[in-house]
Amino acid sequence: MFTQTLTRRARRSPLLELLTGPHGVDRYTELVDRTWTSGEARAKVVAVRRQTPRSVTLILEPNHAFTGFVAGQHINLTVEIDGRRRTRCYSPASAQGATHIELTIGSHDGGLVSTYLCDNARPGMVVGLDSVGGDFTLPAERPTRILFVSGGSGITPVMSMLRTMRDEGSDREIAFIHYARSPEEACYADELAAMPGVHVMHGYTRAGAGDLTGHFDADHLAAAMPEPEAVYVCGPPALVDAVRAHVPDAQSESFVPPAFSAPAQATGGRISFTDSGVVATDDGRPLLAQAEEAGLTPESGCRMGICHSCTRRKTSGVVRNLVTGTVSTAEEEDVQICVSAPVGDVEIAL
Ligand code: FES
């Protein structure tokens, strides 16, 4: 322990940074082990499990630069695919404060990173971690009667909360409804069945007989927990909407791209990506898509306005948020380019 602390301090030493300039200590230590970085949070995959036919569960050992997460939050995960760094955000299923991070990733969305990890993840692989965020979390004072509802891969932040409360020795009254297509696709079923103090109900939307039939409705709510004090729902937008129809103040998180409320309208405006000197003509799509079309490779993660990894400085012009429809006219501001489209000429520091 003492040796580890000493090594960590030595790596962060300003003198060592000076001596190893201009590249810094990390560029040398990562030649020995790619997770030996003091400035960049990274993790090594130490185990790979396949719980269901269309998901992969990764156990990650983070380095000392990773500062942890709160149960329910999401993390940006970066992998290198064909020489390009790709970032997506995922919610850990592991308990808050656990030494290892557990991620369960579904391949069913056809996403580049999730499909790559399902097919290629193996022990020893190193991934980048950053931008922990999200407010889909429990209050410090845990409610006394909590209902969790999840669909598909929305189960992961719920597992993190349940495991965290289990580790705390929680005596709260907890019910959990999880929807999957079939029993074969229901992750964590055995662990949930054995989890003390949690009333678990399964609903299967395509095949198999569960505890509940069909989609979430008033009967499901009554069967799981009538009049809960707090409700947390994570899953596709339709599930979130169904829960909110009965519990308007439910806390929610959805990892499925939201439908853009404002239709894409090409303004023909001039988009200037000022850092790179690239200019494009607006075709109505989000600035991220148009930047990529123009040959740029801006950092991005969720591509749905959640993780903020695509945030860039708009230095002039007007943009519309395609999710909310809000038009933003501030002279200079940070915008999430994955969900922002130009309204006329615009300049972006990219
Ligand atoms: S990529 Fe996540 S907010 Fe834009």
Side-chain angles (χ1 to χ4, degrees):
M1 187 64 179
F2 174 72
T3 311
Q4 283 180 343
T5 306
L6 205 60
T7 307
R8 222 162 40 232
R9 282 196 186 149
R11 274 200 229 129
R12 289 177 179 160
S13 148
L15 176 61
L16 199 54
E17 281 288 343
L18 191 66
L19 293 173
T20 54
H23 304 299
V25 187
D26 286 356
R27 293 294 81 83
Y28 295 94
T29 54
E30 69 180 355
L31 294 175
V32 182
D33 186 314
R34 290 187 59 210
T35 62
W36 287 7
T37 52
S38 58
E40 281 182 48
R42 293 183 185 172
K44 187 176 287 179
V45 177
V46 294
V48 176
R49 294 202 308 265
R50 289 187 166 75
Q51 298 188 59
T52 69
R54 299 196 305 158
S55 73
V56 65
T57 298
L58 312 180
I59 309 299
L60 306 178
E61 186 176 78
N63 67 6
H64 293 295
F66 184 69
T67 53
F69 65 93
V70 174
Q73 287 190 308
H74 45 73
I75 297 174
N76 274 2
L77 181 99
T78 300
V79 290
E80 196 172 302
I81 304 174
D82 295 333
R84 281 188 62 180
R85 284 160 58 88
R86 305 280 188 172
T87 303
R88 296 292 184 272
C89 79
Y90 299 103
S91 280
S94 38
Q96 183 177 322
T99 52
H100 290 85
I101 301 168
E102 181 177 313
L103 297 179
T104 292
I105 297 165
S107 67
H108 43 277
D109 61 2
L112 178 72
V113 175
S114 54
T115 303
Y116 177 83
L117 289 171
C118 283
D119 294 344
N120 298 286
R122 64 191 185 287
M125 174 186 261
V126 172
V127 298
L129 305 171
D130 74 71
S131 297
V132 174
D135 51 12
F136 184 68
T137 55
L138 291 163
E141 180 63 36
R142 312 303 196 206
T144 52
R145 300 180 75 243
I146 311 172
L147 171 64
F148 294 102
V149 183
S150 69
S153 54
I155 194 172
T156 55
V158 174
M159 284 305 298
S160 180
M161 293 184 194
L162 291 174
R163 286 167 160 176
T164 299
M165 285 195 290
R166 178 197 59 197
D167 293 353
E168 292 170 350
S170 168
D171 60 356
R172 301 318 200 216
E173 189 181 340
I174 299 169
F176 176 29
I177 303 175
H178 178 60
Y179 296 94
R181 290 184 177 192
S182 65
E184 293 71 37
E185 297 200 13
C187 297
Y188 299 107
D190 291 344
E191 180 178 340
L192 285 167
M195 198 169 269
V198 182
H199 176 214
V200 181
M201 305 190 84
H202 290 278
Y204 304 121
T205 53
R206 298 220 176 153
D211 306 302
L212 302 166
T213 305
H215 298 275
F216 184 89
D217 60 14
D219 291 341
H220 291 198
L221 175 61
M225 180 181 276
E227 299 182 10
E229 182 186 346
V231 176
Y232 291 80
V233 52
C234 185
L239 175 62
V240 172
D241 289 347
V243 172
R244 286 214 148 150
H246 298 280
V247 188
D249 60 353
Q251 299 291 314
S252 66
E253 183 90 297
S254 183
F255 291 128
V256 176
F260 288 162
S261 64
Q265 286 178 340
T267 64
R270 176 186 161 97
I271 308 172
S272 300
F273 298 109
T274 52
D275 292 354
S276 52
V278 171
V279 174
T281 301
D282 175 38
D283 64 10
R285 291 180 299 152
L287 284 159
L288 174 60
Q290 298 201 57
E292 290 173 337
E293 178 89 13
L296 302 177
T297 54
E299 187 178 343
S300 66
C302 64
R303 304 177 80 92
M304 60 180 88
I306 295 175
C307 70
H308 292 270
S309 63
C310 68
T311 300
R312 290 285 173 161
R313 192 78 177 159
K314 183 198 74 179
T315 52
S316 96
V318 176
V319 295
R320 180 193 306 274
N321 184 307
L322 294 172
V323 177
T324 63
T326 311
V327 173
S328 173
T329 58
E331 190 57 34
E332 281 213 28
E333 62 182 335
D334 290 332
V335 295
Q336 293 164 285
I337 61 172
C338 67
V339 292
S340 298
V343 181
D345 295 349
V346 69
E347 291 186 357
I348 298 286
L350 172 62

